């Protein structure tokens, strides 16, 4: 099969030919139909995340059809459509796994990082960590649900009571969370890079009450906020716009350093917390909610061979919504 794989940190992905392996016990082999590009993939390419699998195939927003099942797999049959997210394996033994917090597992496997992912014609996944995809979505539309949607949902759950919700960094995850929040009656305040009129326009089209640059104060203080951009200096900025008792959620796996800031920004029982990975229950819940809320991911598709172009455009902030790779049919 053809795949786009990590050559070395900081270099473009390399087009490679790899053997397609039969699925082992508990695994499924998937013919990839679409794979979203997540900002985390950029952190893998840039070496921000340590110790990736050697020459890993990135991509953890995989949608495809099962073409073979390994021994012991009863949850999926050949021909069924599945999605594969970032969490690809857990140990079932550590204190986190045993207390219902498998997202924090001490010995996890992550798709497209420590396990080969979906920038390829085929991918192998653990059947227990794959999910049926609601029929309302095309393959390309469904891809960003698998991470932007899932991580966005997990972050949003922590601020679902906020009447006024700020979202910093209006990319793939934010444009899905905005739809979720508007559906639940929250007023959404969308913060983008300075001058990113396209993202601000998309935010307003999706029902945001206000959209503007991150440096600007919103017209009203926020009850809660989520930062999806990997930009540490946004933390004091967002805190300055938060009411007393408000919660600030950091939704990215990597962030530049958070600058020193006056304690007064945190005082008043404001909370700053991160969100890490996902549990399988998050995936089950979100994939039920998404069609009910009628979440519509806005996607730009690229051929698999154009992965480097798509990544460069995502890096440049030159895309609205989500970027999705489509292997040759
Ligand atoms: Zn564990
Ligand atoms: Zn992701």
């Amino acid at each position: 099969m053809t795949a786009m794989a990590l050559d070395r940190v900081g270099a473009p992905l390399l087009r490679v030919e790899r053997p397609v392996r039969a699925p082992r016990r508990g695994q499924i082999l998937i013919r990839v139909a679409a794979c979203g590009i997540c900002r985390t993939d950029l952190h893998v390419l840039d070496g921000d995340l340590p110790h990736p699998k050697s020459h890993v195939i990135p991509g953890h927003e995989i949608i495809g059809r099962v073409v073979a099942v390994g021994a012991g797999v009863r949850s999926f049959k050949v021909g069924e459509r599945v999605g594969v997210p970032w969490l690809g394996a857990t140990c079932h033994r550590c204190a986190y796994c045993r207390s219902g917090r498998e997202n924090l597992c001490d010995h996890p496997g992550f798709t497209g990082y420590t396990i080969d992912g979906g920038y390829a014609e085929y991918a192998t996944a653990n059947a227990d960590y794959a999910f049926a995809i609601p029929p309302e979505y095309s393959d390309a539309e469904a891809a960003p649900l698998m991470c932007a949607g899932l991580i966005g949902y997990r972050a949003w759950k922590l601020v679902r009571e906020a009447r006024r919700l700020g979202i910093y960094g209006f990319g793939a995850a934010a444009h899905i969370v905005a739809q979720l929040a508007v559906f639940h009656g929250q007023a959404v305040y969308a913060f983008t890079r300075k001058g990113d009129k396209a993202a601000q326009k998309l935010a307003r089209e999706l029902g945001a009450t206000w959209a503007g640059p991150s440096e600007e104060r919103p017209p009203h203080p926020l009850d809660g906020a989520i930062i999806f951009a990997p930009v540490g200096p946004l933390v004091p900025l967002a805190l300055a716009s938060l009411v007393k008792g408000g919660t600030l959620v950091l939704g990215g796996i990597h962030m530049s350093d958070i600058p020193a800031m006056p304690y007064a920004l945190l005082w008043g029982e404001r909370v700053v917390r991160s969100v890490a990975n996902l549990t399988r229950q998050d995936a089950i819940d979100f994939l039920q909610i998404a069609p009910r809320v009628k979440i519509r991911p806005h996607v730009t598709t690229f051929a698999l061979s154009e992965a480097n172009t798509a990544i460069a455009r995502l890096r440049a902030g030159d895309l609205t919504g989500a970027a999705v790779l489509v292997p040759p049919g």
Side-chain angles (χ1 to χ4, degrees), residues 34-77:
C35 184
I37 300 177
C38 175
R39 182 158 285 281
T40 299
D41 301 343
L42 274 54
H43 296 310
V44 172
L45 303 188
D46 294 348
D48 295 327
L49 303 185
H51 314 302
K53 176 179 186 282
S54 171
H55 300 285
V56 69
I57 299 171
H60 57 269
E61 296 182 316
I62 306 174
I63 303 294
R65 280 163 193 76
V66 177
V67 290
V69 299
V73 173
R74 269 177 286 277
S75 44
F76 294 110
K77 292 192 191 64

Side-chain angles (χ1 to χ4, degrees), residues 77-267:
K77 292 192 191 64
V78 168
E80 285 181 331
R81 186 165 78 147
V82 295
V84 179
W86 172 246
L87 187 75
T90 55
C91 77
H92 304 286
R93 287 185 305 273
C94 74
Y96 299 106
C97 281
R98 283 188 286 113
S99 58
R101 295 179 293 165
E102 64 182 4
N103 59 308
L104 302 178
C105 176
D106 278 334
H107 308 283
F110 293 123
T111 313
Y113 175 33
T114 59
I115 302 170
D116 278 330
Y119 289 14
E121 292 177 295
Y122 292 88
T124 306
N126 290 320
D128 287 348
Y129 296 80
F131 302 90
I133 297 301
E136 287 84 350
Y137 295 98
S138 70
D139 296 331
E141 278 180 326
L145 297 179
M146 298 316 294
C147 185
L150 276 176
I151 300 290
Y153 170 69
R154 190 173 171 85
W156 171 77
K157 278 196 297 180
L158 301 167
V159 284
R160 66 191 302 166
E161 302 304 330
R163 208 157 57 84
R164 295 192 176 108
L165 175 65
I167 306 180
Y168 289 79
F170 207 83
H175 97 288
I176 291 174
V177 167
Q179 297 179 55
L180 201 53
V182 168
F183 180 87
H184 286 86
Q186 293 172 291
V188 170
Y189 294 72
F191 296 83
T192 72
R193 293 192 211 201
K194 213 180 211 157
D196 192 348
K197 297 290 177 202
Q200 291 169 16
K201 179 165 172 277
L202 176 61
R204 285 194 204 93
E205 282 168 8
L206 296 175
T209 302
W210 179 91
S214 299
E215 295 76 14
E216 210 167 287
R217 281 290 187 97
H220 303 282
L222 307 168
D223 304 303
I226 308 173
I227 298 179
F228 287 118
V231 181
L234 288 175
V235 172
L237 268 176
L239 277 171
S241 293
L242 218 54
V243 297
K244 284 181 277 190
T247 296
L248 173 60
V249 180
L250 312 182
I253 193 166
H254 177 81
M255 190 179 238
S256 57
D257 285 355
I258 300 169
M261 59 185 188
Y263 176 55
L265 286 176
L266 193 58
W267 170 247

